[in-house]
Amino acid sequence: MSFSLPDLPYAHDALAPYMSRETLEYHHDKHHLAYVNNGNNLLKGTEWEGKSLEEIVKGSFGKNPGLFNNAGQHYNHLHFWKWMKPAGGGDKIPGALEKAIVADLGSVAKMKEDFTQAGVTQFGSGWAWLAVKDGKIVVTKTPNGESPLVHGATPILGCDVWEHSYYIDYRNRRPDYLKAFLDSLVNWEYVAELYAAAAK
């Protein structure tokens, strides 16, 4: 299955002032497109041609770094755009998801603190995550294009801490970007949908 760039689920300026039109023009229209194009070129003639994106990501991890980097980032970004929405964030978390966060991580406040810490302490490029592993929600971080998918878990929320995701708007203030992501951007309904599917 070849990769294709999805349209953003909102206008390029819909997430401002927390994520600017300029950031989305570069991040979605250029960076994500590059992962799609490079991934398609590197997929040709491999054993994973014709497989689902998740199979390609899992199968190429540790075996074909070039393909994995681009397929992994394509997978991460397909979700990343849906993990945000205008007027998102805050503590308006659907019931079942909120209960699970409190049960597994202590409280919503503790989850946000741990998630922010994961993003701030990810050295260099990478991602901060909420994932479901062995039926429980965990907070984790990964380098570069890796995700919980290749570590035996199912991602339900990810924040891109590559500099291209925040440098135009926040310069080197990664903690401020993570705070804005959690307080003003997260689409908790989409997270809840992924949690429900992962918890089955």
Side-chain angles (χ1 to χ4, degrees), residues 3 34-35 38-43 46 48 56 60-73:
F3 308 149
Y35 300 135
N38 292 333
N40 282 330
N41 290 333
L42 291 163
L43 185 59
T46 69
W48 299 289
I56 295 164
S60 62
F61 181 58
K63 293 184 185 155
N64 184 327
L67 175 58
F68 171 75
N69 289 338
N70 288 281
Q73 282 288 74

Side-chain angles (χ1 to χ4, degrees), residues 171-184:
R171 297 300 181 227
N172 62 337
R173 303 190 322 276
R174 192 188 282 185
D176 292 354
Y177 159 65
L178 284 152
K179 179 173 167 38
F181 178 79
L182 289 170
D183 289 350
S184 305

Side-chain angles (χ1 to χ4, degrees), residues 13-20 169-170 180 184-185:
D13 58 2
L15 303 182
Y18 309 105
M19 190 173 282
S20 65
D169 300 319
Y170 298 91
S184 305
L185 292 175

Side-chain angles (χ1 to χ4, degrees), residues 15 18 83-92 180-189:
L15 303 182
Y18 309 105
W83 277 322
M84 298 183 288
K85 69 174 187 178
D91 294 336
K92 302 179 292 289
F181 178 79
L182 289 170
D183 289 350
S184 305
L185 292 175
V186 176
N187 180 352
W188 287 115
E189 287 72 27

Side-chain angles (χ1 to χ4, degrees), residues 90-91 93 98 100-119 129-130 137-140 182-183 188:
D91 294 336
I93 301 173
E98 184 175 19
I101 287 170
V102 172
D104 297 340
L105 300 172
S107 68
V108 170
K110 181 79 168 70
M111 172 273 289
K112 289 183 173 184
E113 190 185 314
D114 292 351
F115 186 91
T116 300
Q117 188 62 12
W129 302 97
L130 287 184
I137 298 179
V138 296
V139 176
T140 181
L182 289 170
D183 289 350
W188 287 115

Side-chain angles (χ1 to χ4, degrees), residues 8-96:
L8 286 173
Y10 31 73
H12 282 77
D13 58 2
L15 303 182
Y18 309 105
M19 190 173 282
S20 65
R21 164 186 284 277
E22 188 182 1
T23 289
L24 286 173
E25 283 173 349
Y26 275 91
H27 195 177
H28 172 270
D29 304 0
K30 295 186 167 66
H31 288 285
H32 190 174
L33 181 62
Y35 300 135
V36 165
N37 291 338
N38 292 333
N40 282 330
N41 290 333
L42 291 163
L43 185 59
K44 283 176 195 154
T46 69
E47 63 190 278
W48 299 289
E49 207 169 3
K51 296 278 201 295
S52 74
L53 178 57
E54 290 196 8
E55 287 174 306
I56 295 164
V57 170
K58 288 179 182 171
S60 62
F61 181 58
K63 293 184 185 155
N64 184 327
L67 175 58
F68 171 75
N69 289 338
N70 288 281
Q73 282 288 74
H74 177 47
Y75 172 87
N76 294 350
H77 284 80
L78 281 179
H79 288 295
F80 185 57
W81 311 127
K82 294 184 194 171
W83 277 322
M84 298 183 288
K85 69 174 187 178
D91 294 336
K92 302 179 292 289
I93 301 173

